[in-house]
Amino acid sequence: MPRPPPAVRPHHIVHSVHAVHSVHAVHHPTTQPTTNQHMKQIIILVFVALFSFADTGYGQTIPNIPGVKGDGIHDDTQGIQALLDSKAATVYLPQPPKNYLISKTLKIHSGQTLIADRNAVIRLADHAGAHLLTNADHAGGNERITVTGGIWDGNNLTQTTLYHQNRKNKDIPYDPNRYIGVLMQFDNVKDLHIANVTFKDPEMFAFIGGNLLRFTIENITFDFNLRRGNMDGIHIAGNSHQGRIVNLKGATNDDLVALNADDVPLVELSRGPITDIQVDGIWAEHAHRAVRLNSCGSPVKRIKISNVHGTYIMESIILANHKVHPEIISTFEDISINGLFSSNSTKGGRQPHIRIHSPAQVSNLTITDYHRTEEASATDSILVEKGAHIEYLSVSNATLNNKSKGAINFINNLGTIETLHLSNIFLQGKTDKQKVQLINNKGEIKSLNKTNVSEKSLTNSDNRQALLSSQEVNDDATRVVPIRWENFAVSREQGKDEKQSRLIFLNTIRYNLGWISQSLKKDEQRQLYIFNRYREWDIRPSASVCYAAAVALKCAKPNEKELGVSPDVALERIVALIRGLAVSYKGNRTDGKGWGYVWQSASWAALAGHGAWMLWDNLDKETQALVQTMVIEEANRFILPNYRVPYWTTPNGHVNTPGDTKAEENAWNAKILQLAIAMMPNHPNVGAWKRVCCELMISSFALKSDLKNEQIVDGKPVKNWLH
């Protein structure tokens, strides 16, 4: 049996809440309310809260507001508008028996809060051709408007806009009184707050707002039938500033978020700069696009996009122009993308993940924590179009795991990048078809800085081309500092022992120069020796020869008689050997082959790298880049979070590795770190390299008594270096 109706009806609740606000309004600023007055206000608020959700059984709230039935048949527009026009501070719409039916746009006033029950459906009447909600004064402006809750249903299958009648109508100028297929339309509002709303089936956009200042749109669900084109989610027009768009869920048929400083005339509610906007938290599967920033004359500045998840048919993020106003460039300043966890949709995703549209002018674009595992389709991760110009592009803490059926460019540059900074990048693909390329550069990159970049599946030829176009390191932070040979004096007098040592040493070099030409196959076109196997006895001897021969050529100044060949021929062979070792290093290719990242490879890299450093001025820039990658990659293995310096025993005497003191291993691993420090003294990893290098060297010679050794080495007691 149904329960009796509530004692306080919803329309009375509205006025009760308004009365509470009125009680506060009559107090003189210097007069404190009495305790009794406070208690009365609290009782009223509790009473309102309790009975606002009262129902008559079967889980359905009866609106019982004058002129409002909520049965989905009768028009509820006038009754709800009357509540809004009463200027009540808070208007509450409880869950109706079916839905509220709206035939004409509702208008909310300054200082009002409209609260709809989470399950209250506010539905546009068939063929109404109206927006569901807007602010009351577009010309003079409104302020302090809050809308929370409700399911706002655009009933799009019975509506139509000029745009969907004929797309050429997009060039008709915007008219604030024309239906453009949006559910909520806000123009010229300060302090707007939209929260906990479900947007359902708009004819075009769920929300459009322009000329906004200090706005928050949060906890939004999109429940779209996807039966219309251009079904945007949150669409912000020009002259909008200081906003937060947070926690959006559900797929749309166009941009989930569009920040359009300029737009096509039909929907260009306002045109002008968009600044200081944060977009944080998007979750969608098989959606059209996550975020579009659009500029065609008006700048878009200081935008932060964070935590974008899902799969997308178009780009995840685009900095666009779309030629909405012909022959005008796009301007973007200080754009930050922090946390992008997306991939292509299996329902047709064929676009790059991040696109910089031409003719964009971008001052600063920072991308960090970008992680992509791609199974659907092979598309560029970051595309800079021809005609686009970026002053500074930084990408850090990024991974790409290619599981698709084709090759992927991490960065495909067809435009101009003044400075490109890459750090902590890990790219991988398991097969030759799944190769990844760090940079495909058909445009111009004027300065490239790379730190901790690992490409695990580049084919050898692809990697060489990428390095040719991208690995010139131009800044002091990462460049190799050549040896200053003028600082080394040469002895003019040689004793018997010195002469004998020189003879023995150069005899070994003479032998090994012959061994190189007889045992290794040379690629004459590429001027390098070829390595098809990568075992210790394939790589270690060649690396040792590189180091020894470089010492001989630079320090002993041997002649042809001593070497068996002219010094020029000897130099040519050693340079080709260095090049062959560097090209075959696993960190310089991504076909899964090569040497490196194994137990003893740090020693091999140190030998080959040290030899290359001594002959640095004799190496071409590509070979220098290959060697630099080899040294950095092997050195960085020892500063990873999971690396610990190994010890034979623990401090209490437990033997960790019976029969292996770890002294030799720690000593040879220290060599690569010391080489990296000496070659690149300004590298950002020098501090970390040095800390581990010191422990490795000290541990190689440590005794049990050193656990109490107070002698200071590199700033702290020996005992504190040992763990």
Side-chain angles (χ1 to χ4, degrees):
M1 181 175 179
R3 286 173 284 180
V8 178
R9 294 174 180 173
H11 67 286
H12 291 152
I13 291 170
V14 171
H15 296 293
S16 297
V17 175
H18 181 55
V20 172
H21 287 271
S22 299
V23 169
H24 286 287
V26 299
H27 289 155
H28 191 277
T30 60
T31 303
Q32 296 297 320
T34 65
T35 302
N36 288 338
Q37 288 175 320
H38 270 306
M39 288 302 298
K40 289 178 181 178
Q41 293 168 18
I42 292 169
I43 291 169
I44 292 171
L45 287 172
V46 172
F47 185 74
V48 168
L50 288 172
F51 285 96
S52 291
F53 298 94
D55 60 55
T56 59
Y58 307 107
Q60 293 185 334
T61 303
I62 296 177
N64 204 14
I65 303 170
V68 176
K69 294 189 176 181
D71 58 7
I73 299 173
H74 296 86
D75 190 343
D76 299 313
T77 308
Q78 289 186 0
I80 296 175
Q81 187 60 56
L83 289 176
L84 293 169
D85 290 342
S86 73
K87 304 298 178 66
T90 301
V91 173
Y92 175 69
L93 298 178
Q95 182 178 349
K98 187 174 182 182
N99 63 260
Y100 299 104
L101 195 64
I102 306 300
S103 63
K104 187 178 179 180
T105 304
L106 298 171
K107 297 181 179 180
I108 187 169
H109 302 272
S110 293
Q112 280 193 314
T113 295
L114 173 58
I115 302 174
D117 184 276
R118 195 69 179 91
N119 296 312
V121 177
I122 303 98
R123 179 179 172 86
L124 188 63
D126 290 356
H127 312 293
H131 306 141
L132 283 172
L133 182 66
T134 191
N135 59 300
D137 189 355
H138 291 188
N142 293 105
E143 59 185 20
R144 295 179 293 107
I145 290 177
T146 295
V147 180
T148 182
I151 301 170
W152 298 77
D153 184 353
N155 187 17
N156 60 6
L157 297 184
T158 70
Q159 319 293 331
T160 186
T161 62
L162 287 176
Y163 181 74
H164 285 147
Q165 292 172 16
N166 186 333
R167 295 205 171 192
K168 292 182 179 180
N169 289 333
K170 67 181 177 62
D171 295 322
I172 297 174
Y174 174 77
D175 180 347
N177 298 314
R178 179 186 294 118
Y179 174 62
I180 57 172
V182 305
L183 303 181
M184 292 187 185
Q185 171 199 40
F186 286 89
D187 184 2
N188 195 6
V189 181
K190 296 178 181 178
D191 300 306
L192 174 67
H193 184 202
I194 309 293
N196 307 316
V197 167
T198 294
F199 289 118
K200 181 175 174 59
D201 301 339
E203 213 279 347
M204 281 185 64
F205 307 160
F207 175 98
I208 188 170
N211 299 309
L212 303 179
L213 177 63
R214 297 187 302 269
F215 63 93
T216 300
I217 302 170
E218 60 183 343
N219 303 330
I220 304 299
T221 300
F222 300 110
D223 181 11
F224 287 10
N225 57 16
L226 306 179
R227 298 284 295 275
R228 290 284 190 266
N230 304 96
M231 295 175 71
D232 269 23
I234 306 302
H235 193 103
I236 304 298
N239 289 319
S240 295
H241 312 279
Q242 301 175 24
R244 294 181 67 247
I245 303 170
V246 184
N247 294 342
L248 312 181
K249 297 179 181 179
T252 61
N253 223 10
D254 209 318
D255 309 310
L256 268 142
V257 175
L259 305 182
N260 287 12
D262 308 283
D263 216 326
V264 296
L266 183 67
V267 296
E268 195 172 54
L269 183 154
S270 54
R271 184 181 183 191
I274 292 180
T275 64
D276 303 306
I277 309 295
Q278 179 183 6
V279 179
D280 186 2
I282 293 178
W283 291 266
E285 296 298 327
H286 308 298
H288 181 84
R289 180 187 292 120
V291 180
R292 173 168 63 150
L293 310 182
N294 204 77
S295 164
C296 197
S298 303
V300 177
K301 300 180 180 181
R302 299 184 298 278
I303 309 298
K304 182 177 181 180
I305 303 167
S306 307
N307 301 315
V308 176
H309 304 258
T311 59
Y312 297 92
I313 296 169
M314 299 296 288
E315 306 88 354
S316 295
I317 298 172
I318 184 171
L319 278 62
N321 177 281
H322 284 312
K323 298 180 174 60
V324 295
H325 297 287
E327 309 301 326
I328 300 180
I329 64 171
S330 305
T331 303
F332 301 95
E333 297 181 14
D334 299 324
I335 309 301
S336 170
I337 301 170
N338 183 0
L340 176 58
F341 312 90
S342 63
S343 58
N344 289 337
S345 168
T346 55
K347 297 181 179 180
R350 295 290 185 271
Q351 299 297 324
H353 270 212
I354 301 173
R355 182 195 293 268
I356 314 303
H357 203 268
S358 175
Q361 300 289 314
V362 184
S363 66
N364 179 22
L365 173 58
T366 302
I367 303 168
T368 187
D369 288 322
Y370 171 27
H371 304 286
R372 175 187 181 190
T373 298
E374 189 54 66
E375 298 181 356
S377 55
T379 61
D380 299 329
S381 285
I382 302 170
L383 172 64
V384 181
E385 290 189 354
K386 183 178 180 180
H389 183 277
I390 304 176
E391 292 182 24
Y392 181 82
L393 172 59
S394 173
V395 186
S396 61
N397 302 329
T399 60
L400 168 59
N401 187 0
N402 183 13
K403 297 182 179 181
S404 71
K405 295 181 179 180
I408 292 178
N409 297 315
F410 185 68
I411 297 177
N412 188 9
N413 178 48
L414 308 178
T416 300
I417 303 174
E418 297 286 339
T419 300
L420 174 59
H421 177 79
L422 303 174
S423 64
N424 301 327
I425 311 293
F426 182 78
L427 313 177
Q428 63 177 332
K430 292 185 178 180
T431 69
D432 188 58
K433 290 183 178 179
Q434 295 171 332
K435 63 183 180 181
V436 291
Q437 181 164 314
L438 178 66
I439 301 173
N440 180 45
N441 184 28
K442 295 182 179 179
E444 182 179 14
I445 300 175
K446 295 184 179 180
S447 176
L448 172 66
N449 311 317
K450 288 175 55 179
T451 305
N452 296 351
V453 176
S454 177
E455 304 156 69
K456 296 296 185 184
S457 64
L458 281 171
T459 63
N460 193 46
S461 60
D462 287 336
N463 184 63
R464 291 176 65 248
Q465 180 60 42
L467 287 166
L468 279 168
S469 63
S470 71
Q471 261 223 19
E472 293 187 27
V473 181
N474 296 321
D475 69 330
D476 288 338
T478 55
R479 73 180 179 88
V480 171
V481 177
I483 297 171
R484 297 179 63 181
W485 291 104
E486 65 272 18
N487 292 338
F488 295 87
V490 178
S491 174
R492 296 189 179 186
E493 295 183 7
Q494 295 184 354
K496 181 180 177 181
D497 291 341
E498 186 177 7
K499 290 179 180 179
Q500 184 67 18
S501 297
R502 175 188 172 92
L503 177 62
I504 294 170
F505 176 51
L506 292 179
N507 274 343
T508 64
I509 301 303
R510 178 185 181 122
Y511 169 83
N512 280 295
L513 288 170
W515 170 78
I516 291 171
S517 62
Q518 295 173 21
S519 303
L520 300 177
K521 184 178 178 180
K522 188 177 183 182
D523 184 332
E524 295 292 346
Q525 182 179 359
R526 298 164 64 195
Q527 285 297 298
L528 57 81
Y529 289 102
I530 299 170
F531 292 88
N532 292 319
R533 292 189 173 188
Y534 314 105
R535 300 163 296 183
E536 178 183 351
W537 49 91
D538 298 309
I539 304 302
R540 181 176 174 178
S542 295
S544 298
V545 170
C546 286
Y547 175 64
V551 171
L553 291 171
K554 297 298 290 187
C555 300
K557 306 294 183 183
N559 56 41
E560 185 171 348
K561 182 178 179 180
E562 291 173 310
L563 294 175
V565 295
S566 70
D568 288 343
V569 170
L571 178 62
E572 179 185 313
R573 290 182 186 177
I574 298 306
V575 168
L577 186 60
I578 290 170
R579 185 171 176 79
L581 286 167
V583 163
S584 61
Y585 177 68
K586 190 175 290 186
N588 284 325
R589 53 196 294 172
T590 53
D591 57 358
K593 300 179 181 179
W595 65 274
Y597 307 104
V598 295
W599 174 59
Q600 207 180 85
S601 61
S603 178
W604 313 339
L607 290 166
H610 203 156
W613 188 35
M614 287 190 285
L615 300 175
W616 199 251
D617 292 339
N618 302 107
L619 306 180
D620 60 88
K621 288 187 178 298
E622 181 188 6
T623 304
Q624 289 178 348
L626 291 164
V627 169
Q628 188 178 8
T629 296
M630 176 183 73
V631 172
I632 291 173
E633 288 291 305
E634 285 295 318
N636 284 344
R637 289 172 50 204
F638 301 100
I639 61 172
L640 295 174
N642 61 347
Y643 177 75
R644 297 291 182 272
V645 172
Y647 289 86
W648 174 43
T649 67
T650 64
N652 62 13
H654 173 75
V655 177
N656 294 319
T657 54
D660 182 1
T661 67
K662 294 298 179 182
E664 182 186 21
E665 178 181 334
N666 288 2
W668 79 52
N669 286 337
K671 291 192 303 181
I672 188 64
L673 291 163
Q674 183 56 50
L675 176 64
I677 294 164
M679 285 180 68
M680 295 163 280
N682 298 313
H683 194 284
N685 288 349
V686 160
W689 288 340
K690 188 172 183 179
R691 284 192 296 274
V692 179
C693 184
C694 286
E695 185 178 353
L696 286 169
M697 289 191 291
I698 292 170
S699 67
S700 296
F701 298 95
L703 303 173
K704 186 175 182 179
S705 59
D706 287 317
L707 292 172
K708 299 180 180 179
N709 191 338
E710 299 283 352
Q711 183 179 349
I712 302 299
V713 176
D714 277 335
K716 62 182 180 181
V718 168
K719 67 177 185 179
N720 292 348
W721 281 110
L722 303 174
H723 298 91

